[in-house]
Amino acid sequence: MDLSTMPRGLRSPDLPLCLHCAEYIRTTDVPCPHCGQDPTQPGGRYKDEGFYARDALARLLDAMQRAAAAQPDK
Amino acid sequence: MNDMSAPRILTSEDQEHCVPVYVVWETTLACNLKCGHCGSRAGARRDDELDTPEALELIDQMAALGTREITIIGGEAFLRKDWLRLIERIAGHGILCTMQTGAYGLNEKMLKSALDAGLGGIGVSVDGREDDHDRIRGRKGSFRACLKALRAARDLGMVTSANTQINAISHPHLRAIFDVVADAGISHWQLQWTVAMGNAADNDDVLLQPYLVKPVMDEVAEIFKHAQTIGVTVRPGNNIGYFGKHEVMWRGGEQGGGHYAGCPAGHNAIGIEADGTIKACPSLPKERYSGGNIRDLTLEDMWKTAPGLAFNRQRGTDHLWGHCKGCMYADICHGGCTWTADSLFQRPGNNPYCYYRVDKLEKQGIRERVRKVQEAPDHPFAVGLFEIVEEPI
């Protein structure tokens, strides 16, 4: 399939999470419109319900994959 | 190959080049059930359903456009005599073939044949406790047939899921329904709201009132957490909306996407009627959402040029109205499921079945109900007309 001949569509933007209440916000939202806290500071439900740990693990796995991909062929 | 969810995860390339990743195909309108909420009013087969050569050719065309998963539905897909040939052709292209079924009359021998043909998984509709399910499906014994088919499929090593419509009948019993289908060995439980289409528009007392979305989804969140402990994934369907505190749990992270990203109809999804009508979504009415018929045009031509398929691809916020207009998620969500809104109001862009909206209105002391003001005509995928009634809590 030649993608260049396909119709064009818009890609949906990814919204960040408030690192306090774990609800989706706009990148410009300070404070969080849902919980009123600083959305860049981990705390509240984001930490208590395991989202912090899960995201940290995802970032670690991503970094490991990128590092592995950057290695010369063995 | 047997992962039922992976093929549907959209890449940026899929979205930017409108790859029709997922197809839901009503291969026949023939059905052995008479469901009180059936949107397509299935029962008798259509007069002019595609024959086997036409159906096989259509599969080849889907493969050429980059489709990665095809779900065959009905009516009841296995009532087509050539259903195994269709599965075989789909699987032969390396496309995941799944089947959505009411499972009445689906026995172990048929499942084994389907598995051998390449069926990657089945989803069985379970819409209530036994009495409720049998009543709404119009067949005594249909509930037990569901569980028997799920267990047989599991024993054959197939990926199995149960699909449950949340409505006025089922919502008080969701945990009990989950426990039964989980015990039958499912890996996924998919949920969707019953939509005001076809028989469900006639029997509108079955519809969940929008103000109940929040307590119901709060309960589903608890079931979700329990399901994780026993290895079952609870998956919100496209019309289970949107955002709010549970969004990160069921659509974020391990669920594959980040959050709800708008209706994929006609952008990355295709619906097909048994007579070869190509639509943006299997549940949308052909009057407003058809790209034409495969007997007249190629799938590629329709996909690339038909306005009836293209409405979601460059969608902004101009079509939004009601409380969806002005919502902080308007440019992401676009009013949610086109089918749900269009079935209520004969136009998209205002969707009262939204968690974020219900929660926000509740904080303002307001709740919404829907009320029928016009009956639906007597044909498949027919819609009536509803209005929203706002009232103080």
PDB file of all heavy atoms in Angstrom, chain A residues 1 3 5-13 15 22-24 26 34 45, chain B residues 12-13 15-17 65 245 248 258-259 261 267 304 313-314 328-329 331:
ATOM      1  N   MET A   1       0.837  -1.190   0.000  1.00  0.00           N
ATOM      2  CA  MET A   1       0.000   0.000   0.000  1.00  0.00           C
ATOM      3  C   MET A   1       0.880   1.252   0.000  1.00  0.00           C
ATOM      4  O   MET A   1       1.777   1.374   0.829  1.00  0.00           O
ATOM      5  CB  MET A   1      -0.890   0.007   1.237  1.00  0.00           C
ATOM      6  CG  MET A   1      -1.794   1.191   1.314  1.00  0.00           C
ATOM      7  SD  MET A   1      -2.668   1.266   2.885  1.00  0.00           S
ATOM      8  CE  MET A   1      -1.369   0.985   4.068  1.00  0.00           C
ATOM      9  N   LEU A   3       1.227   4.810   0.957  1.00  0.00           N
ATOM     10  CA  LEU A   3       0.566   5.760   1.862  1.00  0.00           C
ATOM     11  C   LEU A   3       0.426   7.149   1.238  1.00  0.00           C
ATOM     12  O   LEU A   3      -0.483   7.901   1.592  1.00  0.00           O
ATOM     13  CB  LEU A   3       1.345   5.874   3.175  1.00  0.00           C
ATOM     14  CG  LEU A   3       1.240   4.682   4.135  1.00  0.00           C
ATOM     15  CD1 LEU A   3       2.112   4.911   5.355  1.00  0.00           C
ATOM     16  CD2 LEU A   3      -0.196   4.436   4.559  1.00  0.00           C
ATOM     17  N   THR A   5      -0.696   7.953  -1.476  1.00  0.00           N
ATOM     18  CA  THR A   5      -1.928   8.102  -2.248  1.00  0.00           C
ATOM     19  C   THR A   5      -3.178   8.083  -1.367  1.00  0.00           C
ATOM     20  O   THR A   5      -4.289   8.226  -1.860  1.00  0.00           O
ATOM     21  CB  THR A   5      -2.056   6.961  -3.280  1.00  0.00           C
ATOM     22  OG1 THR A   5      -2.232   5.724  -2.572  1.00  0.00           O
ATOM     23  CG2 THR A   5      -0.838   6.868  -4.169  1.00  0.00           C
ATOM     24  N   MET A   6      -2.967   7.890  -0.082  1.00  0.00           N
ATOM     25  CA  MET A   6      -4.132   7.800   0.810  1.00  0.00           C
ATOM     26  C   MET A   6      -4.617   9.200   1.185  1.00  0.00           C
ATOM     27  O   MET A   6      -3.843  10.165   1.177  1.00  0.00           O
ATOM     28  CB  MET A   6      -3.755   7.028   2.088  1.00  0.00           C
ATOM     29  CG  MET A   6      -3.376   5.575   1.839  1.00  0.00           C
ATOM     30  SD  MET A   6      -4.788   4.582   1.289  1.00  0.00           S
ATOM     31  CE  MET A   6      -5.510   4.141   2.867  1.00  0.00           C
ATOM     32  N   PRO A   7      -5.895   9.316   1.549  1.00  0.00           N
ATOM     33  CA  PRO A   7      -6.385  10.630   1.986  1.00  0.00           C
ATOM     34  C   PRO A   7      -5.686  11.085   3.256  1.00  0.00           C
ATOM     35  O   PRO A   7      -5.221  10.262   4.038  1.00  0.00           O
ATOM     36  CB  PRO A   7      -7.877  10.373   2.261  1.00  0.00           C
ATOM     37  CG  PRO A   7      -8.135   8.946   2.053  1.00  0.00           C
ATOM     38  CD  PRO A   7      -6.897   8.265   1.606  1.00  0.00           C
ATOM     39  N   ARG A   8      -5.610  12.379   3.441  1.00  0.00           N
ATOM     40  CA  ARG A   8      -4.939  12.919   4.619  1.00  0.00           C
ATOM     41  C   ARG A   8      -5.931  13.055   5.782  1.00  0.00           C
ATOM     42  O   ARG A   8      -7.077  13.439   5.607  1.00  0.00           O
ATOM     43  CB  ARG A   8      -4.344  14.302   4.323  1.00  0.00           C
ATOM     44  CG  ARG A   8      -3.311  14.303   3.223  1.00  0.00           C
ATOM     45  CD  ARG A   8      -2.070  13.509   3.590  1.00  0.00           C
ATOM     46  NE  ARG A   8      -1.331  14.127   4.681  1.00  0.00           N
ATOM     47  CZ  ARG A   8      -0.182  13.655   5.158  1.00  0.00           C
ATOM     48  NH1 ARG A   8       0.350  12.557   4.647  1.00  0.00           N
ATOM     49  NH2 ARG A   8       0.441  14.275   6.143  1.00  0.00           N
ATOM     50  N   GLY A   9      -5.427  12.735   6.955  1.00  0.00           N
ATOM     51  CA  GLY A   9      -6.242  12.875   8.155  1.00  0.00           C
ATOM     52  C   GLY A   9      -5.475  13.572   9.243  1.00  0.00           C
ATOM     53  O   GLY A   9      -4.241  13.634   9.202  1.00  0.00           O
ATOM     54  N   LEU A  10      -6.193  14.098  10.192  1.00  0.00           N
ATOM     55  CA  LEU A  10      -5.534  14.768  11.314  1.00  0.00           C
ATOM     56  C   LEU A  10      -5.195  13.754  12.394  1.00  0.00           C
ATOM     57  O   LEU A  10      -6.000  12.888  12.719  1.00  0.00           O
ATOM     58  CB  LEU A  10      -6.447  15.848  11.903  1.00  0.00           C
ATOM     59  CG  LEU A  10      -6.712  17.063  11.033  1.00  0.00           C
ATOM     60  CD1 LEU A  10      -7.708  17.989  11.730  1.00  0.00           C
ATOM     61  CD2 LEU A  10      -5.417  17.808  10.737  1.00  0.00           C
ATOM     62  N   ARG A  11      -4.006  13.892  12.930  1.00  0.00           N
ATOM     63  CA  ARG A  11      -3.605  13.059  14.051  1.00  0.00           C
ATOM     64  C   ARG A  11      -4.077  13.726  15.327  1.00  0.00           C
ATOM     65  O   ARG A  11      -3.917  14.932  15.503  1.00  0.00           O
ATOM     66  CB  ARG A  11      -2.090  12.916  14.063  1.00  0.00           C
ATOM     67  CG  ARG A  11      -1.556  12.095  15.196  1.00  0.00           C
ATOM     68  CD  ARG A  11      -0.039  12.059  15.161  1.00  0.00           C
ATOM     69  NE  ARG A  11       0.474  11.370  16.326  1.00  0.00           N
ATOM     70  CZ  ARG A  11       0.641  11.917  17.522  1.00  0.00           C
ATOM     71  NH1 ARG A  11       0.344  13.182  17.697  1.00  0.00           N
ATOM     72  NH2 ARG A  11       1.092  11.209  18.530  1.00  0.00           N
ATOM     73  N   SER A  12      -4.649  12.928  16.203  1.00  0.00           N
ATOM     74  CA  SER A  12      -5.124  13.488  17.462  1.00  0.00           C
ATOM     75  C   SER A  12      -3.943  13.830  18.371  1.00  0.00           C
ATOM     76  O   SER A  12      -3.051  13.010  18.549  1.00  0.00           O
ATOM     77  CB  SER A  12      -6.017  12.470  18.156  1.00  0.00           C
ATOM     78  OG  SER A  12      -6.447  12.976  19.382  1.00  0.00           O
ATOM     79  N   PRO A  13      -3.920  15.037  18.933  1.00  0.00           N
ATOM     80  CA  PRO A  13      -2.820  15.378  19.842  1.00  0.00           C
ATOM     81  C   PRO A  13      -2.917  14.592  21.145  1.00  0.00           C
ATOM     82  O   PRO A  13      -3.994  14.174  21.546  1.00  0.00           O
ATOM     83  CB  PRO A  13      -3.028  16.873  20.097  1.00  0.00           C
ATOM     84  CG  PRO A  13      -4.443  17.140  19.773  1.00  0.00           C
ATOM     85  CD  PRO A  13      -4.888  16.127  18.772  1.00  0.00           C
ATOM     86  N   LEU A  15      -2.745  14.529  25.062  1.00  0.00           N
ATOM     87  CA  LEU A  15      -2.862  15.419  26.213  1.00  0.00           C
ATOM     88  C   LEU A  15      -2.008  14.889  27.361  1.00  0.00           C
ATOM     89  O   LEU A  15      -1.933  13.679  27.568  1.00  0.00           O
ATOM     90  CB  LEU A  15      -4.320  15.501  26.682  1.00  0.00           C
ATOM     91  CG  LEU A  15      -5.324  16.120  25.721  1.00  0.00           C
ATOM     92  CD1 LEU A  15      -6.716  16.081  26.343  1.00  0.00           C
ATOM     93  CD2 LEU A  15      -4.937  17.552  25.384  1.00  0.00           C
ATOM     94  N   ALA A  22      -4.320  12.965  38.079  1.00  0.00           N
ATOM     95  CA  ALA A  22      -4.296  11.956  37.008  1.00  0.00           C
ATOM     96  C   ALA A  22      -5.454  12.116  36.030  1.00  0.00           C
ATOM     97  O   ALA A  22      -5.938  11.133  35.475  1.00  0.00           O
ATOM     98  CB  ALA A  22      -4.249  10.548  37.584  1.00  0.00           C
ATOM     99  N   GLU A  23      -5.908  13.351  35.834  1.00  0.00           N
ATOM    100  CA  GLU A  23      -6.860  13.617  34.755  1.00  0.00           C
ATOM    101  C   GLU A  23      -6.132  14.343  33.628  1.00  0.00           C
ATOM    102  O   GLU A  23      -5.100  14.981  33.852  1.00  0.00           O
ATOM    103  CB  GLU A  23      -8.039  14.449  35.259  1.00  0.00           C
ATOM    104  CG  GLU A  23      -8.905  13.656  36.229  1.00  0.00           C
ATOM    105  CD  GLU A  23     -10.332  14.169  36.316  1.00  0.00           C
ATOM    106  OE1 GLU A  23     -10.850  14.662  35.300  1.00  0.00           O
ATOM    107  OE2 GLU A  23     -10.913  14.073  37.407  1.00  0.00           O
ATOM    108  N   TYR A  24      -6.679  14.222  32.427  1.00  0.00           N
ATOM    109  CA  TYR A  24      -6.022  14.833  31.266  1.00  0.00           C
ATOM    110  C   TYR A  24      -6.266  16.341  31.230  1.00  0.00           C
ATOM    111  O   TYR A  24      -7.369  16.814  31.512  1.00  0.00           O
ATOM    112  CB  TYR A  24      -6.517  14.176  29.972  1.00  0.00           C
ATOM    113  CG  TYR A  24      -5.991  12.773  29.843  1.00  0.00           C
ATOM    114  CD1 TYR A  24      -6.762  11.681  30.232  1.00  0.00           C
ATOM    115  CD2 TYR A  24      -4.697  12.534  29.391  1.00  0.00           C
ATOM    116  CE1 TYR A  24      -6.270  10.385  30.149  1.00  0.00           C
ATOM    117  CE2 TYR A  24      -4.193  11.243  29.305  1.00  0.00           C
ATOM    118  CZ  TYR A  24      -4.981  10.177  29.684  1.00  0.00           C
ATOM    119  OH  TYR A  24      -4.482   8.900  29.615  1.00  0.00           O
ATOM    120  N   ARG A  26      -4.636  20.370  29.388  1.00  0.00           N
ATOM    121  CA  ARG A  26      -3.896  20.989  28.281  1.00  0.00           C
ATOM    122  C   ARG A  26      -2.480  21.307  28.774  1.00  0.00           C
ATOM    123  O   ARG A  26      -2.266  21.514  29.966  1.00  0.00           O
ATOM    124  CB  ARG A  26      -4.566  22.290  27.802  1.00  0.00           C
ATOM    125  CG  ARG A  26      -6.068  22.282  27.750  1.00  0.00           C
ATOM    126  CD  ARG A  26      -6.629  21.230  26.849  1.00  0.00           C
ATOM    127  NE  ARG A  26      -6.218  21.361  25.474  1.00  0.00           N
ATOM    128  CZ  ARG A  26      -6.986  21.020  24.425  1.00  0.00           C
ATOM    129  NH1 ARG A  26      -8.209  20.541  24.604  1.00  0.00           N
ATOM    130  NH2 ARG A  26      -6.525  21.134  23.209  1.00  0.00           N
ATOM    131  N   HIS A  34      -8.924  20.654  36.984  1.00  0.00           N
ATOM    132  CA  HIS A  34      -9.724  19.647  37.689  1.00  0.00           C
ATOM    133  C   HIS A  34      -9.513  19.683  39.199  1.00  0.00           C
ATOM    134  O   HIS A  34     -10.465  19.634  39.959  1.00  0.00           O
ATOM    135  CB  HIS A  34      -9.393  18.244  37.161  1.00  0.00           C
ATOM    136  CG  HIS A  34      -9.549  18.108  35.692  1.00  0.00           C
ATOM    137  ND1 HIS A  34     -10.768  18.255  35.055  1.00  0.00           N
ATOM    138  CD2 HIS A  34      -8.650  17.850  34.712  1.00  0.00           C
ATOM    139  CE1 HIS A  34     -10.597  18.095  33.750  1.00  0.00           C
ATOM    140  NE2 HIS A  34      -9.327  17.853  33.512  1.00  0.00           N
ATOM    141  N   ARG A  45      -3.532  11.613  43.947  1.00  0.00           N
ATOM    142  CA  ARG A  45      -3.976  10.336  43.376  1.00  0.00           C
ATOM    143  C   ARG A  45      -2.938   9.760  42.415  1.00  0.00           C
ATOM    144  O   ARG A  45      -2.788   8.543  42.317  1.00  0.00           O
ATOM    145  CB  ARG A  45      -5.301  10.589  42.640  1.00  0.00           C
ATOM    146  CG  ARG A  45      -5.845   9.381  41.917  1.00  0.00           C
ATOM    147  CD  ARG A  45      -7.160   9.718  41.226  1.00  0.00           C
ATOM    148  NE  ARG A  45      -7.592   8.573  40.436  1.00  0.00           N
ATOM    149  CZ  ARG A  45      -7.882   8.612  39.139  1.00  0.00           C
ATOM    150  NH1 ARG A  45      -7.803   9.748  38.476  1.00  0.00           N
ATOM    151  NH2 ARG A  45      -8.260   7.531  38.492  1.00  0.00           N
TER     152      ARG A  45
ATOM    153  N   SER B  12       0.654   7.044  14.413  1.00  0.00           N
ATOM    154  CA  SER B  12       0.504   8.371  13.809  1.00  0.00           C
ATOM    155  C   SER B  12       0.308   8.248  12.300  1.00  0.00           C
ATOM    156  O   SER B  12      -0.495   8.975  11.697  1.00  0.00           O
ATOM    157  CB  SER B  12       1.757   9.211  14.078  1.00  0.00           C
ATOM    158  OG  SER B  12       1.942   9.359  15.448  1.00  0.00           O
ATOM    159  N   GLU B  13       1.038   7.315  11.710  1.00  0.00           N
ATOM    160  CA  GLU B  13       0.937   7.090  10.259  1.00  0.00           C
ATOM    161  C   GLU B  13      -0.485   6.662   9.870  1.00  0.00           C
ATOM    162  O   GLU B  13      -1.040   7.129   8.875  1.00  0.00           O
ATOM    163  CB  GLU B  13       1.934   5.996   9.882  1.00  0.00           C
ATOM    164  CG  GLU B  13       2.444   6.052   8.480  1.00  0.00           C
ATOM    165  CD  GLU B  13       3.629   5.117   8.289  1.00  0.00           C
ATOM    166  OE1 GLU B  13       3.482   3.916   8.574  1.00  0.00           O
ATOM    167  OE2 GLU B  13       4.688   5.601   7.859  1.00  0.00           O
ATOM    168  N   GLN B  15      -3.203   7.440  11.367  1.00  0.00           N
ATOM    169  CA  GLN B  15      -4.121   8.576  11.474  1.00  0.00           C
ATOM    170  C   GLN B  15      -3.886   9.598  10.365  1.00  0.00           C
ATOM    171  O   GLN B  15      -4.834  10.129   9.793  1.00  0.00           O
ATOM    172  CB  GLN B  15      -3.971   9.246  12.835  1.00  0.00           C
ATOM    173  CG  GLN B  15      -4.428   8.371  13.993  1.00  0.00           C
ATOM    174  CD  GLN B  15      -4.277   9.076  15.327  1.00  0.00           C
ATOM    175  OE1 GLN B  15      -4.939  10.060  15.615  1.00  0.00           O
ATOM    176  NE2 GLN B  15      -3.384   8.586  16.157  1.00  0.00           N
ATOM    177  N   GLU B  16      -2.621   9.849  10.077  1.00  0.00           N
ATOM    178  CA  GLU B  16      -2.314  10.891   9.085  1.00  0.00           C
ATOM    179  C   GLU B  16      -2.617  10.445   7.658  1.00  0.00           C
ATOM    180  O   GLU B  16      -2.848  11.269   6.776  1.00  0.00           O
ATOM    181  CB  GLU B  16      -0.839  11.301   9.225  1.00  0.00           C
ATOM    182  CG  GLU B  16      -0.594  12.123  10.485  1.00  0.00           C
ATOM    183  CD  GLU B  16       0.878  12.212  10.846  1.00  0.00           C
ATOM    184  OE1 GLU B  16       1.713  11.715  10.070  1.00  0.00           O
ATOM    185  OE2 GLU B  16       1.179  12.775  11.915  1.00  0.00           O
ATOM    186  N   HIS B  17      -2.611   9.134   7.426  1.00  0.00           N
ATOM    187  CA  HIS B  17      -2.872   8.625   6.075  1.00  0.00           C
ATOM    188  C   HIS B  17      -4.170   7.838   5.988  1.00  0.00           C
ATOM    189  O   HIS B  17      -4.397   7.125   5.005  1.00  0.00           O
ATOM    190  CB  HIS B  17      -1.700   7.768   5.603  1.00  0.00           C
ATOM    191  CG  HIS B  17      -0.420   8.536   5.492  1.00  0.00           C
ATOM    192  ND1 HIS B  17      -0.138   9.339   4.413  1.00  0.00           N
ATOM    193  CD2 HIS B  17       0.629   8.659   6.342  1.00  0.00           C
ATOM    194  CE1 HIS B  17       1.046   9.910   4.598  1.00  0.00           C
ATOM    195  NE2 HIS B  17       1.524   9.518   5.757  1.00  0.00           N
ATOM    196  N   LEU B  65      -5.950  -2.190   1.019  1.00  0.00           N
ATOM    197  CA  LEU B  65      -5.998  -0.856   1.631  1.00  0.00           C
ATOM    198  C   LEU B  65      -5.314  -0.815   3.007  1.00  0.00           C
ATOM    199  O   LEU B  65      -5.262   0.233   3.645  1.00  0.00           O
ATOM    200  CB  LEU B  65      -7.446  -0.385   1.777  1.00  0.00           C
ATOM    201  CG  LEU B  65      -8.059   0.369   0.602  1.00  0.00           C
ATOM    202  CD1 LEU B  65      -9.473   0.811   0.951  1.00  0.00           C
ATOM    203  CD2 LEU B  65      -7.233   1.575   0.193  1.00  0.00           C
ATOM    204  N   LYS B 245     -12.067  10.993  35.779  1.00  0.00           N
ATOM    205  CA  LYS B 245     -10.985  10.390  36.571  1.00  0.00           C
ATOM    206  C   LYS B 245     -10.631   8.968  36.162  1.00  0.00           C
ATOM    207  O   LYS B 245      -9.554   8.478  36.504  1.00  0.00           O
ATOM    208  CB  LYS B 245     -11.340  10.449  38.058  1.00  0.00           C
ATOM    209  CG  LYS B 245     -12.535   9.619  38.463  1.00  0.00           C
ATOM    210  CD  LYS B 245     -12.788   9.794  39.961  1.00  0.00           C
ATOM    211  CE  LYS B 245     -14.007   8.999  40.388  1.00  0.00           C
ATOM    212  NZ  LYS B 245     -14.319   9.199  41.810  1.00  0.00           N
ATOM    213  N   VAL B 248      -7.716   7.619  32.445  1.00  0.00           N
ATOM    214  CA  VAL B 248      -6.315   7.172  32.446  1.00  0.00           C
ATOM    215  C   VAL B 248      -6.222   5.678  32.747  1.00  0.00           C
ATOM    216  O   VAL B 248      -5.318   4.990  32.281  1.00  0.00           O
ATOM    217  CB  VAL B 248      -5.488   7.989  33.461  1.00  0.00           C
ATOM    218  CG1 VAL B 248      -5.995   7.782  34.893  1.00  0.00           C
ATOM    219  CG2 VAL B 248      -4.020   7.626  33.374  1.00  0.00           C
ATOM    220  N   GLY B 258      -3.505   6.776  24.638  1.00  0.00           N
ATOM    221  CA  GLY B 258      -3.331   7.662  25.772  1.00  0.00           C
ATOM    222  C   GLY B 258      -4.656   8.035  26.402  1.00  0.00           C
ATOM    223  O   GLY B 258      -4.825   7.993  27.603  1.00  0.00           O
ATOM    224  N   HIS B 259      -5.595   8.362  25.558  1.00  0.00           N
ATOM    225  CA  HIS B 259      -6.910   8.790  26.018  1.00  0.00           C
ATOM    226  C   HIS B 259      -7.830   8.745  24.811  1.00  0.00           C
ATOM    227  O   HIS B 259      -7.374   8.539  23.666  1.00  0.00           O
ATOM    228  CB  HIS B 259      -6.865  10.203  26.602  1.00  0.00           C
ATOM    229  CG  HIS B 259      -6.183  11.199  25.711  1.00  0.00           C
ATOM    230  ND1 HIS B 259      -6.769  11.719  24.577  1.00  0.00           N
ATOM    231  CD2 HIS B 259      -4.942  11.734  25.753  1.00  0.00           C
ATOM    232  CE1 HIS B 259      -5.928  12.537  23.985  1.00  0.00           C
ATOM    233  NE2 HIS B 259      -4.806  12.560  24.673  1.00  0.00           N
ATOM    234  N   ALA B 261      -9.646   9.683  21.615  1.00  0.00           N
ATOM    235  CA  ALA B 261      -9.103  10.593  20.601  1.00  0.00           C
ATOM    236  C   ALA B 261     -10.114  10.921  19.510  1.00  0.00           C
ATOM    237  O   ALA B 261      -9.747  11.359  18.426  1.00  0.00           O
ATOM    238  CB  ALA B 261      -7.851   9.980  19.985  1.00  0.00           C
ATOM    239  N   HIS B 267     -12.342   7.292   9.416  1.00  0.00           N
ATOM    240  CA  HIS B 267     -10.947   7.747   9.494  1.00  0.00           C
ATOM    241  C   HIS B 267     -10.031   6.521   9.517  1.00  0.00           C
ATOM    242  O   HIS B 267      -9.124   6.394   8.686  1.00  0.00           O
ATOM    243  CB  HIS B 267     -10.769   8.617  10.747  1.00  0.00           C
ATOM    244  CG  HIS B 267      -9.453   9.346  10.797  1.00  0.00           C
ATOM    245  ND1 HIS B 267      -9.189  10.348  11.682  1.00  0.00           N
ATOM    246  CD2 HIS B 267      -8.325   9.198  10.082  1.00  0.00           C
ATOM    247  CE1 HIS B 267      -7.954  10.801  11.504  1.00  0.00           C
ATOM    248  NE2 HIS B 267      -7.412  10.107  10.537  1.00  0.00           N
ATOM    249  N   LYS B 304     -11.233   6.878  -0.878  1.00  0.00           N
ATOM    250  CA  LYS B 304     -10.457   8.071  -1.204  1.00  0.00           C
ATOM    251  C   LYS B 304     -11.314   9.274  -1.611  1.00  0.00           C
ATOM    252  O   LYS B 304     -10.847  10.412  -1.531  1.00  0.00           O
ATOM    253  CB  LYS B 304      -9.450   7.759  -2.317  1.00  0.00           C
ATOM    254  CG  LYS B 304      -8.317   6.849  -1.849  1.00  0.00           C
ATOM    255  CD  LYS B 304      -7.320   6.567  -2.948  1.00  0.00           C
ATOM    256  CE  LYS B 304      -6.149   5.741  -2.416  1.00  0.00           C
ATOM    257  NZ  LYS B 304      -5.198   5.350  -3.465  1.00  0.00           N
ATOM    258  N   ARG B 313     -12.170  12.977   9.139  1.00  0.00           N
ATOM    259  CA  ARG B 313     -10.720  13.010   8.909  1.00  0.00           C
ATOM    260  C   ARG B 313     -10.077  14.364   9.200  1.00  0.00           C
ATOM    261  O   ARG B 313      -8.925  14.431   9.583  1.00  0.00           O
ATOM    262  CB  ARG B 313     -10.430  12.589   7.459  1.00  0.00           C
ATOM    263  CG  ARG B 313     -10.835  11.149   7.209  1.00  0.00           C
ATOM    264  CD  ARG B 313     -10.746  10.782   5.748  1.00  0.00           C
ATOM    265  NE  ARG B 313     -11.298   9.449   5.527  1.00  0.00           N
ATOM    266  CZ  ARG B 313     -11.573   8.948   4.337  1.00  0.00           C
ATOM    267  NH1 ARG B 313     -11.328   9.671   3.245  1.00  0.00           N
ATOM    268  NH2 ARG B 313     -12.082   7.730   4.219  1.00  0.00           N
ATOM    269  N   GLN B 314     -10.811  15.431   8.943  1.00  0.00           N
ATOM    270  CA  GLN B 314     -10.273  16.777   9.183  1.00  0.00           C
ATOM    271  C   GLN B 314     -11.178  17.526  10.158  1.00  0.00           C
ATOM    272  O   GLN B 314     -11.251  18.745  10.138  1.00  0.00           O
ATOM    273  CB  GLN B 314     -10.189  17.557   7.857  1.00  0.00           C
ATOM    274  CG  GLN B 314      -9.377  16.905   6.773  1.00  0.00           C
ATOM    275  CD  GLN B 314      -7.876  16.987   7.022  1.00  0.00           C
ATOM    276  OE1 GLN B 314      -7.407  17.834   7.761  1.00  0.00           O
ATOM    277  NE2 GLN B 314      -7.123  16.076   6.415  1.00  0.00           N
ATOM    278  N   MET B 328     -13.793  21.636  27.348  1.00  0.00           N
ATOM    279  CA  MET B 328     -12.325  21.756  27.286  1.00  0.00           C
ATOM    280  C   MET B 328     -11.695  20.662  26.419  1.00  0.00           C
ATOM    281  O   MET B 328     -10.568  20.809  25.963  1.00  0.00           O
ATOM    282  CB  MET B 328     -11.699  21.743  28.683  1.00  0.00           C
ATOM    283  CG  MET B 328     -11.714  20.415  29.399  1.00  0.00           C
ATOM    284  SD  MET B 328     -10.690  20.422  30.913  1.00  0.00           S
ATOM    285  CE  MET B 328      -9.043  20.233  30.248  1.00  0.00           C
ATOM    286  N   TYR B 329     -12.424  19.576  26.195  1.00  0.00           N
ATOM    287  CA  TYR B 329     -11.895  18.493  25.357  1.00  0.00           C
ATOM    288  C   TYR B 329     -12.487  18.514  23.939  1.00  0.00           C
ATOM    289  O   TYR B 329     -12.339  17.546  23.198  1.00  0.00           O
ATOM    290  CB  TYR B 329     -12.200  17.138  26.006  1.00  0.00           C
ATOM    291  CG  TYR B 329     -11.537  16.942  27.356  1.00  0.00           C
ATOM    292  CD1 TYR B 329     -12.305  16.844  28.521  1.00  0.00           C
ATOM    293  CD2 TYR B 329     -10.163  16.849  27.472  1.00  0.00           C
ATOM    294  CE1 TYR B 329     -11.709  16.661  29.763  1.00  0.00           C
ATOM    295  CE2 TYR B 329      -9.546  16.669  28.712  1.00  0.00           C
ATOM    296  CZ  TYR B 329     -10.329  16.567  29.851  1.00  0.00           C
ATOM    297  OH  TYR B 329      -9.729  16.383  31.073  1.00  0.00           O
ATOM    298  N   ASP B 331     -11.837  19.793  21.033  1.00  0.00           N
ATOM    299  CA  ASP B 331     -11.000  19.563  19.841  1.00  0.00           C
ATOM    300  C   ASP B 331     -10.300  18.209  19.866  1.00  0.00           C
ATOM    301  O   ASP B 331      -9.638  17.840  18.891  1.00  0.00           O
ATOM    302  CB  ASP B 331      -9.956  20.682  19.709  1.00  0.00           C
ATOM    303  CG  ASP B 331      -9.028  20.746  20.907  1.00  0.00           C
ATOM    304  OD1 ASP B 331      -9.471  20.440  22.032  1.00  0.00           O
ATOM    305  OD2 ASP B 331      -7.852  21.094  20.730  1.00  0.00           O
TER     306      ASP B 331
END
